[in-house]
Amino acid sequence: MPLARTLIAPLLAVFAAFALAVQPVAAQSILRDAETEALLRDMAYPLIEASELEPENVEVVLINDPSINAFVAGGQVVYVHAGLLNAAETANEVQGVIAHELGHITAGHVVRFGERTKGAQGISILSLILGVGAALAGAGDAALGAILAGQQAATGNFLAFNRNQEAATDQAGARYLNGAGISGRGMITFFEKLRNFEIRRGYSQSDDAAYGRTHPLSGDRIQFLRDQLTKDPYWDAPDDPELQARFLAVRAKLYGFLAKPSRTFQQYPESDQSTPARYARAYAFHKDAQVEKALKEADSLLAIDGKNPYFLELKGQILLESGRPQEALVPLRRATELTLNQPLIAGMFGHALIATEDQGNYEEAEKVLRAAVAKDRFNPFAWYQLGVVYAQRGDIPRAKLASAEQQIMRRNYPEALRNAKDAEAGLPVGSPDWIRAQDVGLQARAELEQLRDSR
């Protein structure tokens, strides 16, 4: 489960539906995990289609922040806080939030805010993007991969939407739920949950207080939505049981990764033998260096579904990060095959192949890692591992190119430019890698010039 530990994500813009409090941008980070990304994509897809946006152009990104929040930023990106997933009880509740966020995108609220704040200085901070495996490995290649990881997210300033915009966005979200044939029950229950949370925290619900906050959660607003959604023909539509099962598993997985092990064991005691509980405990035991107990939980999950690629990934990760890379190859290879070379899983598999220190595995590692970065260029851990393979084989130009890719994501443009030049000089003229080295070099030069011009 390539999830990311903490580094800094460039977020800006605030929320989309009901921020309880504005968190410092620099304290946030992007979390990446193949299973979670697949779930969010599948939850959002019918809503995106109903909004008439192009699904391939819209991303839903998970943020490592415990607050209950979601927001949109520049482009067509919906950011969801981990705290929101933890607070939600159903996938339907999360879909209600995503529907609302899509309303902000289709209404162009982020663009309009940008037009009003041209003079504001933008924020752009790197976010850490790597797997739980790399984050927990703590040694050598994995640790360096974590340090090098990063991806540019969004820039801007915090948005404060007025009540008219929020009302329009609420209506749009309701339309998208209806258009997708999804009940709006989750939207109502989650909004009520947020309002109750604010009341317990002492946030005023008065109209006067609304002007100093983003996304006021007034009772009138919730009642308006209730009146509208209960008339919808899909109000009584049952939740998708498969989607709900996936949501509960992912929520537990995230909890096990992010929370202290002691808290996970309280939340998911060993008396609870459900799949989500086993999932959460597996990560908690792994974080707590109780390897055999972690493997036992992973094996219990595989006994339930031996073809689940994420259960296989989990077992491979535990073995890899416990210093048993040779044993990790079987589950990670199978997980990679079942997901058709999902980049984050393939990156971990490539790392395991290298970690065996068997040069006979390097050819397979190169093939796997090249496939990973071809599908997802913003995969710094895979780029690092690929650079290791090239360096070990004496292919210094391609090792330099892999380093240049990393440095671009780190926004270390001088180093990216130097590595790109070195790679270009040593690669066959006209080859795909030679062309890519030129592209990276041009990008680095352009970024350096823009930085100089802004001073």
Side-chain angles (χ1 to χ4, degrees):
M1 151 186 190
L3 263 160
R5 270 251 200 233
T6 303
L7 196 139
I8 305 174
L11 315 172
L12 309 290
V14 211
F15 184 52
F18 339 171
L20 299 184
V22 174
Q23 300 295 320
V25 170
Q28 296 172 315
S29 64
I30 292 176
L31 294 177
R32 293 205 62 189
D33 169 57
E35 183 177 16
T36 304
E37 290 180 0
L39 172 67
L40 291 172
R41 184 168 58 249
D42 290 347
M43 287 198 296
Y45 188 88
L47 297 165
I48 296 169
E49 282 199 317
S51 73
E52 298 186 350
L53 295 169
E54 293 296 330
E56 62 270 19
N57 294 336
V58 181
E59 292 184 79
V60 183
V61 176
L62 182 64
I63 298 297
N64 182 12
D65 192 306
S67 62
I68 306 172
N69 198 0
F71 60 90
V72 294
Q76 298 181 14
V77 185
V78 175
Y79 294 92
V80 176
H81 284 204
L84 188 149
L85 295 185
N86 188 50
E89 295 179 26
T90 66
N92 185 236
E93 288 185 346
V94 180
Q95 286 179 306
V97 174
I98 292 173
H100 179 99
E101 302 304 327
L102 292 173
H104 281 301
I105 293 175
T106 57
H109 289 163
V110 177
V111 174
R112 292 174 188 175
F113 173 80
E115 290 173 352
R116 295 195 305 270
T117 58
K118 288 181 179 179
Q121 181 177 2
I123 305 171
S124 181
I125 309 170
L126 291 180
S127 65
L128 183 63
I129 300 179
L130 43 91
V132 172
L136 299 180
D141 300 345
L144 181 55
I147 293 169
L148 296 178
Q151 172 180 344
Q152 187 172 354
T155 55
N157 221 327
F158 289 114
L159 310 177
F161 295 105
N162 64 38
R163 283 173 292 179
N164 290 335
Q165 288 175 315
E166 284 304 304
T169 304
D170 288 342
Q171 292 180 29
R175 287 199 309 274
Y176 303 154
L177 287 164
N178 177 41
I182 297 171
S183 172
R185 291 190 308 274
M187 176 180 272
I188 296 298
T189 59
F190 198 75
F191 284 17
E192 289 179 335
K193 189 178 298 182
L194 288 173
R195 182 182 61 173
N196 292 337
F197 181 88
E198 286 201 328
I199 292 172
R200 291 197 305 272
R201 288 292 191 275
Y203 289 97
S204 173
Q205 301 295 303
S206 70
D207 287 342
D208 289 339
Y211 288 102
R213 300 167 47 218
T214 62
H215 298 76
L217 294 174
S218 69
D220 290 344
R221 207 173 139 202
I222 292 175
Q223 187 58 49
F224 170 80
L225 276 171
R226 181 182 294 280
D227 291 343
Q228 184 171 354
L229 289 168
T230 53
K231 298 173 185 175
D232 190 280
Y234 298 103
W235 174 256
D236 292 320
D239 291 346
D240 182 333
E242 181 182 353
L243 200 65
Q244 177 64 9
R246 291 171 61 192
F247 167 73
L248 292 176
V250 163
R251 185 180 68 169
K253 177 184 196 177
L254 291 171
Y255 194 94
F257 171 67
L258 294 171
K260 292 181 179 179
S262 59
R263 292 188 61 187
T264 301
F265 299 140
Q266 291 175 349
Q267 183 74 17
Y268 297 96
E270 292 194 62
S271 58
D272 185 347
Q273 294 297 300
S274 66
T275 294
R278 292 177 185 274
Y279 221 174
R281 288 196 302 269
Y283 277 99
F285 281 131
H286 184 41
K287 289 176 67 177
D288 207 33
Q290 299 188 57
V291 178
E292 294 310 315
K293 287 187 175 182
L295 287 171
K296 182 179 178 181
E297 295 290 4
D299 285 335
S300 72
L301 291 169
L302 287 167
I304 297 170
D305 184 0
K307 293 184 178 180
N308 185 311
Y310 308 116
F311 295 167
L312 289 162
E313 178 194 19
L314 168 61
K315 182 171 183 178
Q317 176 186 325
I318 295 169
L319 290 167
L320 172 61
E321 293 166 6
S322 301
R324 297 154 66 175
Q326 189 65 46
E327 296 175 64
L329 295 184
V330 172
L332 288 177
R333 179 180 285 111
R334 183 62 177 147
T336 302
E337 292 169 351
L338 288 170
T339 57
L340 304 178
N341 289 304
Q342 200 286 333
L344 298 176
I345 295 176
M348 185 182 292
F349 177 40
H351 173 48
L353 287 164
I354 296 168
T356 63
E357 298 183 350
D358 179 354
Q359 294 198 9
N361 289 327
Y362 282 12
E363 183 176 352
E364 183 180 8
E366 179 182 355
K367 180 180 177 181
V368 168
L369 292 166
R370 284 189 72 96
V373 297
K375 286 187 174 182
D376 180 6
R377 300 203 74 85
F378 294 100
N379 191 339
F381 185 69
W383 277 117
Y384 172 72
Q385 297 300 326
L386 191 56
V388 170
V389 172
Y390 289 141
Q392 288 289 336
R393 295 173 60 177
D395 190 345
I396 303 305
R398 286 184 174 81
K400 291 280 190 178
L401 177 56
S403 179
E405 298 276 9
Q406 296 170 37
Q407 299 301 334
I408 279 288
M409 284 181 276
R410 288 182 64 198
R411 302 190 69 183
N412 185 350
Y413 302 124
E415 190 65 23
L417 181 57
R418 281 191 291 271
N419 279 288
K421 285 181 177 179
D422 290 344
E424 182 182 349
L427 289 166
V429 176
S431 68
D433 287 335
W434 181 83
I435 293 172
R436 179 58 189 168
Q438 284 193 324
D439 290 343
V440 174
L442 288 171
Q443 182 182 350
R445 285 191 186 92
E447 295 287 356
L448 285 170
E449 289 174 4
Q450 185 173 354
L451 287 172
R452 282 195 295 266
D453 292 344
S454 65
R455 289 170 185 167

